Amino acid sequence: MIAMYYQNPITITGIDLPWIPSMGTRFHLSSDGVSLLMALITNVVVMVSMYVTLSENKAGQRQFYALLLLMQTFILGVFVAEDMFLYYIFWELSLIPAYFLVLLWGESPKIKPITLRFFLFTLFGSLLMLIAIITLGNMGEVGNYDLSIIEGLEIGIPTQLLLFVAFMVAFGIKSPIFPLHGWQADTYEAAPTSVTIILSGVMSKMAIYSIYKFVLPILPDAVNQYGSYVVLAATFGVFYASLLAMVQTNIKRMFAYVSMAHMGIIAAGLFPLNSNGLHGVMLQIAAHAVNTCGLFLVAHSLYKLNGSYDMASFGGLRQKMPLFAGAFLVILFGAIGVPFTNGFIGEFLILNSLYSYDVLSAILAGSGVILGAVYMLNLYKRVILGTDNKTNYLDINDVDKFLYLSLVFVIIITGVYSSWITKLCDASIQTILHSNYIQ
């Protein structure tokens, strides 16, 4: 399919069938380069998640796998829907299996209030988004939710502002972007690791994709006038999440804040509306998905050793687990954006874009990068290079070794050769940049 896209980098014809004629909605699915990238990321992340599930020996595994596959299906629907009402249906349906996966297989004694908070945050945002979508779908002479029609609407600036706020609250919760992140750390920590991998690696990207796909072309005036506030909030969230990550002793919770910091940089990269920023966003989306899988896989492997995520319960692992120590180091380098890893190029392009857009935002985002190196290297020092805790651990087995080496391979190859992502997404990005609706 990707080869087909390179031959004709406009769009891949999908399905366009009547659905609810009285509402003006169609079952319209299609894909461009960005959608293909998101679909690839989704399928890879779910595959890693399922591998992790195999080693968790959970009760009710059939139901667990069924819910994972349903969530994968609905997330893929979000990335290929060209009708905004159909998009909303997929968006909402993806929440249902996520809710039950966290509630029924969560790892916290407070799982019920944590899951309820996760559900209420997301539902509140979804309701605002539904109101905005209904408003857009009924603005024309005849109700129509097709994205190509909605993009051609002439929308007054006051209405654009209201719609912009509604969409950004919904997407800010899902990402999450500061200050709408209240559900994230508890949910990521309490959810089964396999589910956390999907929440962080894929579901957070639904919001970034939606801003790119809908907000930028449909509400250009609001983006130009008020996007700077979103950038400031997102980059402050990078700094804030980095500070929180520095004081964590629970490894899994620390990685939740690491994910939030990276998502803040990605979200901020959308609004300068230049080629460097948008290409950097796509590169960083792919990098974050892979690195998140790696970090939470590391947390899972550590938990299997002694049933704890506490940093203090580990030490000197390089002496007994050299393969694990080496793989963890490469994943860590990718997460902090060391050159020749997948996290470097996208991060550099976004920071460069932010610097030309708003220096303060670039400084806040850059401070998160520096702090990230501090707390991640400190974690590695304490867990891997620290004092031997005299426990007889075994190094990763052959199956774990294959998964770790696969992630290491992708981190390095994507860091060295990232142009396949920019080529895949370039036509879609240029359409956004050169649209008549973005000045």
Side-chain angles (χ1 to χ4, degrees):
M1 185 176 287
I2 291 176
M4 185 192 309
Y5 176 80
Y6 280 132
Q7 294 171 11
N8 182 23
I10 304 299
T11 187
I12 293 177
T13 304
I15 300 171
D16 188 3
L17 301 171
W19 187 29
I20 311 176
S22 61
M23 287 182 56
T25 63
R26 301 181 64 84
F27 193 85
H28 186 186
L29 306 177
S30 186
S31 178
D32 59 11
V34 173
S35 301
L36 283 177
L37 177 65
M38 302 308 300
L40 175 63
I41 289 171
T42 300
N43 292 330
V44 170
V45 170
V46 171
M47 186 166 55
V48 174
S49 169
M50 287 191 166
Y51 163 79
V52 172
T53 304
L54 290 174
S55 61
E56 289 180 328
N57 296 318
K58 295 184 178 299
Q61 282 203 346
R62 291 183 179 180
Q63 293 85 349
F64 191 90
Y65 285 127
L67 289 171
L68 278 181
L69 291 172
L70 281 174
M71 186 159 60
Q72 178 187 14
T73 301
F74 299 143
I75 291 172
L76 289 171
V78 168
F79 295 139
V80 296
E82 291 292 319
D83 181 283
M84 291 201 72
F85 188 78
L86 177 63
Y87 155 84
Y88 176 79
I89 296 298
F90 281 127
W91 175 283
E92 280 297 278
L93 288 176
S94 69
L95 175 62
I96 297 172
Y99 171 80
F100 284 109
L101 284 166
V102 176
L103 177 64
L104 299 179
W105 286 275
E107 301 169 347
S108 169
K110 299 180 180 179
I111 195 62
K112 289 185 178 179
I114 288 172
T115 310
L116 180 62
R117 185 163 69 249
F118 162 59
F119 182 82
L120 291 178
F121 261 87
T122 310
L123 181 63
F124 173 72
S126 297
L127 289 176
L128 288 178
M129 182 170 65
L130 177 61
I131 294 171
I133 289 174
I134 291 174
T135 302
L136 288 170
N138 288 277
M139 276 190 169
E141 295 181 3
V142 179
N144 196 317
Y145 291 87
D146 191 272
L147 183 59
S148 62
I149 301 298
I150 290 176
E151 285 181 351
L153 295 173
E154 294 185 6
I155 307 172
I157 292 180
T159 304
Q160 282 199 34
L161 172 59
L162 293 175
L163 294 172
F164 181 78
V165 170
F167 277 125
M168 290 311 304
V169 169
F171 301 146
I173 289 171
K174 201 78 165 184
S175 300
I177 299 173
F178 178 90
L180 303 171
H181 64 285
W183 63 273
Q184 187 247 16
D186 287 340
T187 305
Y188 280 22
E189 181 185 358
T193 303
S194 53
V195 178
T196 303
I197 286 172
I198 297 180
L199 292 176
S200 178
V202 178
M203 289 196 77
S204 61
K205 312 300 186 302
M206 289 166 51
I208 301 300
Y209 171 83
S210 300
I211 296 171
Y212 168 85
K213 184 76 171 180
F214 305 128
V215 176
L216 299 188
I218 295 173
L219 308 172
D221 295 319
V223 169
N224 288 328
Q225 293 192 28
Y226 305 104
S228 58
Y229 296 106
V230 179
V231 171
L232 187 60
T235 52
F236 179 79
V238 174
F239 177 71
Y240 173 76
S242 299
L243 292 179
L244 290 176
M246 290 187 70
V247 299
Q248 299 304 312
T249 58
N250 182 295
I251 296 171
K252 193 177 182 184
R253 191 175 185 88
M254 175 184 174
F255 289 161
Y257 287 119
V258 172
S259 176
M260 177 183 165
H262 289 166
M263 290 305 300
I265 293 177
I266 293 171
L270 291 168
F271 289 91
L273 284 176
N274 58 50
S275 183
N276 277 345
L278 293 181
H279 278 107
V281 166
M282 300 309 158
L283 289 166
Q284 202 63 10
I285 282 174
H288 180 265
V290 173
N291 296 336
T292 292
C293 285
L295 290 177
F296 284 111
L297 179 62
V298 165
H300 179 69
S301 296
L302 292 173
Y303 184 81
K304 288 195 297 182
L305 294 179
N306 64 9
S308 173
Y309 293 113
D310 188 3
M311 291 184 201
S313 63
F314 303 99
L317 292 186
R318 68 180 177 86
Q319 302 173 33
K320 298 161 185 174
M321 306 177 67
L323 289 175
F324 172 77
F328 183 13
L329 184 63
V330 175
I331 293 168
L332 181 151
F333 282 166
I336 64 177
V338 171
F340 300 109
T341 65
N342 61 350
F344 172 72
I345 300 176
E347 203 167 71
F348 175 81
L349 290 174
I350 291 174
L351 290 175
N352 182 59
S353 173
L354 286 174
Y355 183 79
S356 62
Y357 180 75
D358 179 60
V359 175
L360 176 59
S361 296
I363 292 173
L364 288 171
S367 68
V369 174
I370 297 170
L371 292 174
V374 172
Y375 59 69
M376 291 296 285
L377 291 172
N378 180 61
L379 168 67
Y380 192 83
K381 175 183 175 182
R382 294 178 62 181
V383 173
I384 304 297
L385 304 178
T387 304
D388 186 353
N389 61 11
K390 307 300 181 183
T391 305
N392 293 321
Y393 294 137
L394 297 177
D395 208 346
I396 51 178
N397 59 35
D398 289 340
V399 179
D400 286 345
K401 189 187 303 182
F402 173 78
L403 185 56
Y404 273 107
L405 291 179
S406 298
L407 291 172
V408 166
F409 175 79
V410 172
I411 288 170
I412 294 174
I413 288 297
T414 309
V416 174
Y417 176 66
S418 59
S419 60
W420 71 271
I421 296 177
T422 56
K423 288 178 181 178
L424 182 65
C425 299
D426 187 64
S428 177
I429 288 173
Q430 296 308 320
T431 299
I432 291 287
L433 292 176
H434 296 105
S435 167
N436 291 329
Y437 312 115
I438 292 183
Q439 304 299 322

